[in-house]
Structures are given as C-alpha cells and as structure tokens.
Amino acid sequence: MSGEGRRVLLWARSWSKQLRAKGFTWDQIATVLELTHAASPLRLCRLAHGRTASDVVAMVNDADPAGTASLREARLYDFEAWPETGRRPPARLLVMLAEVYQTAARSLISDEVFGSYRSADRELIDRADFRDRDANRPPSLKTASRVTIEASAAAAPADRSLPDAPACVHLLRAIGTEETDVKRRELLFELALVLGGARALDLLRVLTPDEEERLAGVLRSTWRVDEATARTFEKLTLRARQADDEHGPAALLPVVNRQRTALAQVLSRESMPPALHDRMLAAYAQMSQLAGYLAYDLLDYKAAERAMRDGLRAALELGDPTLVSYLHCWLGAMAVYQRRPATALDHAFAAQSWTTRSPSRLLRAMSDSVLSKAHATAGEAAKCARVHHAAVSFADTSKDSEPAFLYWISPSVVECGAAWALIQLRQTGPAVTAAQQCLAGLDPQFKMDRGLALVSYASALTPAKEIPEAAARLTEAAGIASQHSSARLTDQLLRARARLEPWAGNAHVQQLDDTLQACGFRGAVRSE
C-alpha cells in the first residue's frame, strides 16, 4: 500500500469509528466519506469498514464455499477503479463483497455500471442484500430472514434513508471550508459530533488549538480533567449565551443540551479535587440554566422548567447563592410570562433571599426586576413601582467584578421589563416612557430585547390611539423577529397586533399586516 493510500485508510478508519458510535450504518458512512474522497462505491464501502485490500481479499477467498474466487489484491484494485480504469467486477463477486461489507450488492456500483450487466446478472445483484447484518441498522428496516444469493431469496429495494446524514454533510462541508489542516479538521469533526453538529463549530472557534486537544482528550476519557478543562467549558457557555443574542434559541438549544450531557458524563465518571469539581458543577448549573432559558424562549415551558430545576439542584449542591438566586429569577420570570402570579412571587421571594448572600449588585437588579414584574402580574402597582426603582439603581453598576453570565443586565434592560409590567397594570403613559428609555440606551447586540421593547412601546401607544407610530414600531419588531428564532418575541408581536384589530382598515395597519405576512407571521392574530 502506498503512503497516500495508508493515510486515506487511517483517515477513513478514524471517521468511521466516530460515525459508528453515533449510530450510522455502513452505507451511511460510505455516503459521508464520498463527500471528501472521490472514489467508486466499491472502494468507499471498503474504506467505511477500514479494511485494506488484502483484508478483503482474504475474507472473500475464505467465504467462497467452492474455492473458485481466487481474488487477488491487484484485481480488487482494478474492480474498485472501474469504470474510469480497470475492469468491471463480476456479478457473483459483487454478491460476495456485499456480504463482507454488510450492504446490498446494488449499492456497490453506480446506476451506469449496473445497466451494463446482462439481465440475469442484474437480477442476481438486485436480490443480494445483507444490510440486515448491520448492527446499526434500525430494527424496523431489518429483513425478516437472512438474504441469500439463491433464486428463492426475496428481493429488497436498496435503503436510501440517511437519518443523520444531512447534518453530517453540512458539518463536513463547514469544516472543509474553514480548515485546511487535515489533523485539526478531524479533531473539529470529532468535537462537533459530540457537542451538537455544525452549530457547535461557532462555539469551538473561541478555543485555542491546545484547548481543543485537551477538550477532546477529556471527552474521550484519555485526559484527566484539570483547571483548564473547567475554564474551557466556561468559555463555551459564555459563547453560547452570545450566540443566542445573535441568532436565537432554535439552532442553539440542541448544542447546549449536548454540552450539558457531556458535562454530566464527565462529572459522573471522574474523581477530581473538590475545588475542580465545584468549577465543573458550576459550569453544569450554568449550562442547565441556559438550556432552560432557550426552551422558555421557544415557549416549551415543561422542558424549560426541567432544565432550570436540574440547574437549581446543582447550584444548591454547590452552595453558590449567586447561581441559586439566578435560577430562581428565571423560574420566576417564566411564571410571570405565563401569568402565574403566585408561582412568580414564590420564586421572586426565594431569589431575594439568596441574593442577600451574594455580593453581586447586578444580581440584585435582576431579582428586584423579577419581583417587580411578579407584583405587576398580581395587580400590585405600588409594590411594583417601589421594587422597580431599586432595580434600576442596582443595574447602574460596573461589571468588572460581576459574574460573566450577568453581562446583559443594564438599566435599559430593566426598563424594558418595567414597560411590560406597566402595560399589565394599564399605566400606558409610564409604559411609553419606560420603553423609550429602554430603546435609547439598549446595547445593539441585544436584538431580541430591542424587539420586545418595540412591542411594548407599540402596545403602550395603542390605547392612546397613536396607530401610525404603533404600527411602525411593530413593523420594525417584525424585521427583528424574522431574523431571530424567539417564539416569545413572535408571540408578543402577534398579541400587540391583536390590540390593533379595531383599526384593521387603517392604511398603516394594513402595511404592517403585509410585513407580517411576508415574514411568515400572519397565520393568526393572537389575543390576550
């Protein structure tokens, strides 16, 4: 075997091992390898199994009951090179190779080559299907009995289903476009498979090559967890939060859940010093909170509560008052959105209790803001206003000594929450002022928060019959929602449009409806 041939074989073995672990069939692996290696189907199937030509020759010769195969290595190479060069493989040999590769003989040749065989040979090739022997083949697709090359064997059509192949194809193309170094390309492929596919590549970009190697070693259980490992997971978590600001939860949630799973597996199998264990457990609690938030933003309340309560258990085990309060804050915020005032107040008061043990002023701003909205949901206007003023003062503080996951808290974000609360209390004048203050100072990177502030602004303008301005603000919000996958933003947008229904004939509202329809949001007007 030439040096290049051995390199290709080792590369194929590495990828095949990872894909088999993910549940790919041999046929699916051959399809994936085809994306990066131009070869005949016959050779791709051999590479998928990671076998040398001499290995396959020995297996074919041993399996031939008549002892008539006499296949030689050079002849196999000739068959694999057909039709560009070499010679066409005999039909009976294709059947024997299909058995070796646990596939259908029809999958070993192209349509063009298949058409070149005589009728009897085509029937023989069509009948030979050994995919039922593939351990990764879904049970529903396995044949009822062993397929043979006898004339009585039942014919089965070739399986073209590739359940995970599209995502894998996208991943391979993305890696190939961005990375030319073969070894690093394989490492990124391995990490992305574990951490959630092509979207995980966006997160992995923040890591250095050394951090990537270390992370891969830990996930393979060939490298011990150390302080750098904990720092790597913390970097990935923070990058995931920033990615949500840019794109929204739909594509990101599966990646975050895969990272949670990886963290849980490392924590369950590794013994490590207490300080290091606490760092990893804190990363898991943060990742659980983020998974819960993303599910909440998709309005999947059950999944959100499961993830957040999982994070809360980890934070309580850790004894970290900042993380415990932060998770209670988000559980309370979700209850506020669901109009469950008793539950919202319960979590808000719990957050307040834990906040008193935390040195974070930004956390105090968040817990006060959640409590203010909980009071608004309960119809308690005076308490809502009192706590809101405290939240604004705490939010106006330096972030230098604050936890990284509180990077998004600012007076403008607090005002956005206040605008929503004031609308619930039907205090439209103050709600307009709060929304204006939010929009004036909000960081441009927080696209969804701007969208929510625009919706609140429009909702406050509607009772004052400022219809052209309300419609204009909702039109801007629709543009943001069309580029962000937040179901919560879309839900609020359609509720705000429902308040404009008495003016449905207004030209500005009709233009808004055209925009909503163009964005795909005008399926139904939602009411409160």
Side-chain angles (χ1 to χ4, degrees):
M1 180 185 298
S2 68
E4 175 63 15
R6 182 164 184 78
R7 187 192 69 78
V8 170
L9 179 64
L10 293 176
W11 162 81
R13 281 178 180 170
S14 173
W15 284 27
S16 180
K17 181 180 179 181
Q18 296 174 54
L19 292 170
R20 286 297 286 181
K22 292 293 177 183
F24 277 57
T25 65
W26 295 119
D27 284 354
Q28 290 169 353
I29 294 172
T31 301
V32 170
L33 296 182
E34 185 181 11
L35 296 170
T36 55
H37 187 69
S40 68
L42 197 59
R43 187 175 189 216
L44 289 169
C45 281
R46 176 167 64 81
L47 292 176
H49 284 263
R51 292 181 178 137
T52 65
S54 60
D55 291 336
V56 174
V57 167
M59 295 175 72
V60 169
N61 290 334
D62 290 344
D64 182 24
T68 59
S70 300
L71 180 64
R72 290 176 289 114
E73 190 174 335
R75 185 56 52 84
L76 178 61
Y77 285 134
D78 280 345
F79 294 149
E80 289 181 345
W82 182 261
E84 280 71 22
T85 59
R87 63 179 67 191
R88 191 183 69 177
R92 186 172 182 83
L93 178 63
L94 287 176
V95 172
M96 299 178 73
L97 288 171
E99 185 172 7
V100 169
Y101 297 143
Q102 298 177 8
T103 186
R106 181 66 183 81
S107 301
L108 298 177
I109 52 177
S110 66
D111 293 340
E112 178 186 3
V113 173
F114 178 70
S116 69
Y117 288 92
R118 59 191 178 91
S119 177
D121 286 342
R122 288 200 300 270
E123 290 180 8
L124 182 64
I125 293 169
D126 259 336
R127 289 198 303 267
D129 189 344
F130 300 90
R131 289 171 297 163
D132 63 314
R133 298 184 180 183
D134 188 339
N136 281 4
R137 185 169 168 79
S140 61
L141 297 179
K142 287 182 179 285
T143 53
S145 60
R146 178 182 179 276
V147 179
T148 73
I149 62 173
E150 301 301 324
S152 60
D159 176 23
R160 305 295 181 188
S161 64
L162 297 171
D164 292 324
C168 194
V169 168
H170 180 58
L171 172 59
L172 287 167
R173 287 175 175 165
I175 294 174
T177 300
E178 298 180 9
E179 185 55 55
T180 57
D181 181 78
V182 174
K183 290 189 66 176
R184 186 161 185 269
R185 193 160 56 199
E186 292 180 7
L187 179 64
L188 287 173
F189 182 72
E190 177 185 353
L191 287 173
L193 278 180
V194 174
L195 298 179
R199 179 61 68 184
L201 292 176
D202 294 337
L203 309 188
L204 292 169
R205 289 192 189 102
V206 303
L207 303 183
T208 65
D210 181 64
E211 288 171 333
E212 291 169 354
E213 290 278 2
R214 188 181 302 271
L215 178 60
V218 169
L219 296 176
R220 296 188 203 112
S221 300
T222 59
W223 197 305
R224 298 286 296 176
V225 174
D226 56 10
E227 192 274 339
T229 304
R231 188 169 61 249
T232 295
F233 275 108
E234 290 164 355
K235 286 177 68 173
L236 290 173
T237 305
L238 183 58
R239 177 61 191 128
R241 294 185 189 280
Q242 295 166 345
D244 175 55
D245 295 329
E246 297 166 14
H247 306 294
L252 189 59
L253 180 56
V255 178
V256 171
N257 278 329
R258 294 287 287 274
Q259 291 189 40
R260 283 182 70 215
T261 300
L263 267 168
Q265 290 172 344
V266 171
L267 282 165
S268 64
R269 72 170 184 252
E270 297 276 349
S271 63
M272 56 192 85
L276 191 55
H277 179 272
D278 288 353
R279 289 276 300 277
M280 295 291 284
L281 189 60
Y284 179 78
Q286 284 197 46
M287 195 65 78
S288 297
Q289 177 277 319
L290 179 57
Y293 167 77
L294 295 173
Y296 161 47
D297 205 21
L298 292 170
L299 301 183
D300 187 350
Y301 300 123
K302 290 183 179 179
E305 183 150 0
R306 280 196 305 270
M308 287 188 193
R309 288 195 177 277
D310 194 22
L312 183 58
R313 284 191 292 271
L316 287 168
E317 179 183 341
L318 193 62
D320 184 335
T322 302
L323 276 175
V324 173
S325 177
Y326 191 57
L327 281 148
H328 273 300
C329 281
W330 278 113
L331 285 163
M334 185 166 66
V336 164
Y337 195 83
Q338 294 173 280
R339 312 307 203 270
R340 297 162 56 205
T343 302
L345 286 167
D346 184 50
H347 284 297
F349 285 130
Q352 291 270 299
S353 175
W354 283 96
T355 300
T356 60
R357 310 180 202 182
S358 169
S360 172
R361 288 175 61 85
L362 291 180
L363 181 65
R364 178 65 185 271
M366 182 182 184
S367 63
D368 282 349
S369 177
V370 171
L371 181 58
S372 174
K373 289 185 286 187
H375 281 311
T377 306
E380 300 167 342
K383 293 180 180 179
C384 170
R386 184 172 61 252
V387 182
H388 166 67
H389 292 309
V392 173
S393 63
F394 281 114
D396 190 16
T397 189
S398 171
K399 293 181 171 60
D400 292 342
S401 60
E402 293 286 340
F405 56 83
L406 297 175
Y407 72 97
W408 56 274
I409 296 177
S410 68
S412 296
V413 170
V414 172
E415 290 293 355
C416 183
W420 184 91
L422 291 165
I423 289 170
Q424 311 312 304
L425 294 169
R426 291 179 167 77
Q427 297 182 12
T428 56
V432 168
T433 302
Q436 289 173 333
Q437 290 175 345
C438 173
L439 291 168
L442 195 62
D443 191 318
Q445 71 172 310
F446 302 137
K447 297 177 183 178
M448 194 197 71
D449 291 293
R450 179 172 180 80
L452 290 173
L454 288 166
V455 170
S456 292
Y457 190 20
S459 298
L461 289 169
T462 300
K465 299 184 180 180
E466 297 284 351
I467 306 308
E469 181 67 8
R473 298 290 73 79
L474 290 182
T475 299
E476 184 181 349
I480 295 173
S482 67
Q483 301 172 24
H484 196 284
S485 58
S486 170
R488 186 160 50 105
L489 174 56
T490 302
D491 178 60
Q492 289 290 84
L493 175 64
L494 294 180
R495 290 179 187 275
R497 167 56 186 85
R499 299 187 187 101
L500 291 173
E501 194 59 23
W503 298 275
N506 182 284
H508 297 280
V509 177
Q510 289 178 346
Q511 289 176 1
L512 168 62
D513 287 346
D514 291 341
T515 300
L516 290 172
Q517 186 170 5
C519 293
F521 296 143
R522 193 65 181 139
V525 175
R526 300 186 186 181
S527 59
E528 293 292 344

